[in-house]
Amino acid sequence: MKARRSEKTEIKTAKKQSWVNLIVKNRYLLLLLLPGLIYYIIFCYVPMYGALIAFKDYTPEYGKGFIQNIMESPWVGLEHFRRFFGSYNFTQLLRNTLLLSLYSLVFGFPLPIIFALILNEIRGKHFKKFVQTASYLPHFISTVAVVSMLTLFLSPRSGFINRIITTLFHMEPIYFMAEPGWFRILYVASGIWQSLGWGAIVYIAALSNVDQGMYEAATVDGASRWQKILYISLPSLKSTIMILLILNIGSMFSVGGEKVILMYQPNTYETADVISSFIYRRGLQYAEFSYTTAVGLFNSFVNIILLVSANWISRKVTDESLF
Amino acid sequence: MRRRKRKKIEAMDIICYAAALIVVVITLYPVLHLMALSFSSSGAVSKNTVSIWPKEFTLQAYRQVLSTGTVPNSFINSIVYTAIGTAINMLFTSTMAYALSKAQLPFRSFFTKLVLLTMYLSGGMIPTFLLVNALGLYDSIWALVLPGAVSTYNLIVLRSFFAAMPVELEESARLDGANDITVFWRIVLPLSKAGLATIALFYLVGHWNSFYSAMIYLRSADKYPLQLVLRNIVIQGQMANELAAAGQASAAESMYGQVSVNSIKYATLFLSIVPMMFIYPFIQKYFVKGVMIGSLKG
């Protein structure tokens, strides 16, 4: 018995020593890891700890550290969550967030695929290159600039869209940016404008990897161009499409607030306000820190559930999955 | 021989070329229209006759924009933030990516999981904001460049890039007694220029185009980057515009003399787009490569 115990401790110390050895041996590698590691701890994991204030009443006191302030705030349990679920904002935010994602997905997801298939059919090399390069341009234009263009070109007085509406169709100018009914359309359409060409890159690459012999064999068998697209090109994109679809569905509840904040105005809150813009407004402008952290936490919780279930469904149905 | 190989034009070709042309027009028209407007006289702009070619060509709007100080100053701020931000990004990302790409790194899988977890979980906007303030970064450049120092996506892309490098290159240096840092600095970095350039450009464009952290963290107007100034002039300026139209003397209009508020907006907006517009055709291939490496990793 005794011998065995000492053997065990020996193994343990040996293990410990090999640990230490390993660390000493790779100290320079660990040193390289250090800056990044410190970044992740401070800017990712400390805020995760900070999310605790969702269950507290956080009131920052001057002269105290962030963590100390959190620890000294009184617990309130699920009070903030209850308040959020009971508020009239809840259903509105949920509906707006979901609908913006849904419309972006339904209209924005198939278009890059179609665009890639179209480009694949174009034989002129230079023309193809030109179209591709032109289609990337909006990806490099900032969100602020895109919303600025929307604001200017849709302006009821000076925008060219309203000029067409008034002179060609003899209608009253439309106040696009100020009408709740237009918000989703503009959000989704400008999003498509920005991401169409860029989103097609992955599909174009997948299409370029297709064995050209398959097309030739199909030609010999008398297949039409349309049939080749339908039975060769499209199926070769299947796994790419599935992976991107999972990712998109998984992020349905994480509509970024940046563009919304730039686009919306109090008139259009009823269709435009999403969870993240609400957090920004109420959290940063009205300093309701604990309440909005609770809202954010609820949002991440839903995100994870969505991602995991989309992944699960996809694995069951198509054998494609992220994890 | 050559002539016979030439295929005849089918309906499919016409449809595809037409569709591609429509995409090009929709993509380019707003930008060309904007350019034309910014170089047209305020008179022509207000008459709504400008399409994609400037009318009564003038640089008046640009002269006004550049003489007020706000826009040029923010332009310089943006350059500084982008340069410093990208440098910090590259330092933090490349070192960590290299360390994580090595099998002999102790607790490698733990560190990798620690990093990957942040793709799915985060503390959220508010705790991050409170932390940045508590660290005393409010109203300083560090609030813009430190909280996003490493993008997990870019880190993973770069890690797979380093992992794909042949070990033999490093082995000989190791035999000569070089340590990991020397190997990284002298051998790995110089051999990874393409991968590093890709990641650096991702970061660079991100910094140049960002406005959100500046909006949250900067209070002093003289520190604003171009994107934030653009937002204030064009999007928030909507109010001043409507006031002016309603017949009330607007401060904006008298400030800019005979150049109309709209011309100012067009010029500012176009100025903000120009750098990216001229750079992107040359850097797009790096971006495409980056997207590809990233997508292979899923």
Side-chain angles (χ1 to χ4, degrees), chain A residues 142 144-145 148 262, chain B residues 65-66 68-78 81 208-212 214-215 218-238 255-256 264-265 267-269 271-272:
Chain A
S142 71
V144 179
S148 296
L262 289 170
Chain B
V65 167
L66 295 176
T68 51
T70 317
V71 173
N73 182 43
S74 69
F75 208 94
I76 293 166
N77 286 343
S78 277
Y81 298 159
W208 182 263
N209 283 342
S210 84
F211 83 102
Y212 196 68
M215 179 179 76
L218 295 185
R219 193 176 37 193
S220 325
D222 61 327
K223 291 179 186 163
Y224 285 176
L226 181 62
Q227 301 297 333
L228 194 58
V229 167
L230 178 66
R231 163 186 172 263
N232 292 346
I233 291 182
V234 181
I235 302 172
Q236 309 264 304
Q238 195 72 349
M255 192 166 85
Y256 294 126
I264 296 292
K265 289 179 180 176
T268 314
L269 180 51
L271 266 181
S272 83

Side-chain angles (χ1 to χ4, degrees), chain B:
Chain B
M1 200 52 200
R2 214 172 179 193
R3 197 174 286 163
R4 229 200 283 161
K5 248 200 155 174
R6 206 163 165 181
K7 289 169 191 160
K8 66 173 198 290
I9 296 168
E10 300 167 38
M12 188 64 88
D13 287 306
I14 298 171
I15 294 170
C16 288
Y17 274 81
L21 266 180
I22 291 172
V23 170
V24 171
V25 169
I26 293 176
T27 306
L28 296 185
Y29 184 79
V31 180
L32 294 176
H33 182 52
L34 176 69
M35 181 175 72
L37 285 168
S38 70
F39 287 111
S40 299
S41 74
S42 288
V45 168
S46 68
K47 269 182 246 149
N48 271 336
T49 51
V50 180
S51 180
I52 60 167
W53 202 251
K55 286 210 171 137
E56 299 168 31
F57 183 90
T58 169
L59 293 172
Q60 194 61 32
Y62 287 97
R63 218 168 283 143
Q64 293 281 2
V65 167
L66 295 176
S67 68
T68 51
T70 317
V71 173
N73 182 43
S74 69
F75 208 94
I76 293 166
N77 286 343
S78 277
I79 292 174
V80 172
Y81 298 159
T82 303
I84 295 179
T86 309
I88 289 178
N89 289 142
M90 291 315 289
L91 180 72
F92 280 63
T93 311
S94 62
T95 51
M96 195 180 198
Y98 179 69
L100 287 177
S101 75
K102 290 288 148 206
Q104 69 265 29
L105 177 77
F107 320 113
R108 183 184 180 216
S109 73
F110 167 74
F111 289 133
T112 309
K113 277 178 194 134
L114 198 79
V115 164
L116 288 179
L117 189 68
T118 61
M119 288 183 104
Y120 305 101
L121 282 179
S122 80
M125 187 198 303
I126 303 295
T128 309
F129 173 80
L130 295 173
L131 171 73
V132 170
N133 281 350
L135 291 174
L137 306 180
Y138 188 76
D139 203 27
S140 84
I141 170 181
W142 305 112
L144 309 189
V145 297
L146 288 181
V150 181
S151 129
T152 304
Y153 177 84
N154 289 345
L155 179 76
I156 301 300
V157 170
L158 205 56
R159 188 195 59 167
S160 22
F161 190 89
F162 287 145
M165 276 180 64
V167 218
E168 292 78 31
L169 295 168
E170 302 176 25
E171 286 309 318
S172 59
R174 285 236 164 72
L175 287 177
D176 292 342
N179 64 40
D180 288 309
I181 296 179
T182 320
V183 170
F184 172 69
W185 189 254
R186 290 273 165 78
I187 297 173
V188 176
L189 283 190
L191 286 173
S192 314
K193 278 184 197 129
L196 293 171
T198 305
I199 300 299
L201 289 169
F202 269 119
Y203 280 128
L204 187 145
V205 173
H207 280 297
W208 182 263
N209 283 342
S210 84
F211 83 102
Y212 196 68
S213 0
M215 179 179 76
I216 296 179
Y217 295 120
L218 295 185
R219 193 176 37 193
S220 325
D222 61 327
K223 291 179 186 163
Y224 285 176
L226 181 62
Q227 301 297 333
L228 194 58
V229 167
L230 178 66
R231 163 186 172 263
N232 292 346
I233 291 182
V234 181
I235 302 172
Q236 309 264 304
Q238 195 72 349
M239 285 303 291
N241 197 7
E242 270 156 25
L243 279 177
Q248 282 156 329
S250 108
E253 202 146 26
S254 56
M255 192 166 85
Y256 294 126
Q258 76 268 49
V259 177
S260 73
V261 179
N262 270 339
S263 289
I264 296 292
K265 289 179 180 176
Y266 295 134
T268 314
L269 180 51
F270 192 63
L271 266 181
S272 83
I273 295 175
V274 158
M276 280 301 141
M277 213 171 109
F278 283 105
I279 296 172
Y280 98 93
F282 304 102
I283 61 175
Q284 53 152 327
K285 67 169 188 217
Y286 291 105
F287 272 80
V288 173
K289 211 185 284 164
V291 170
M292 292 320 303
I293 305 173
S295 72
L296 289 180
K297 281 273 115 185

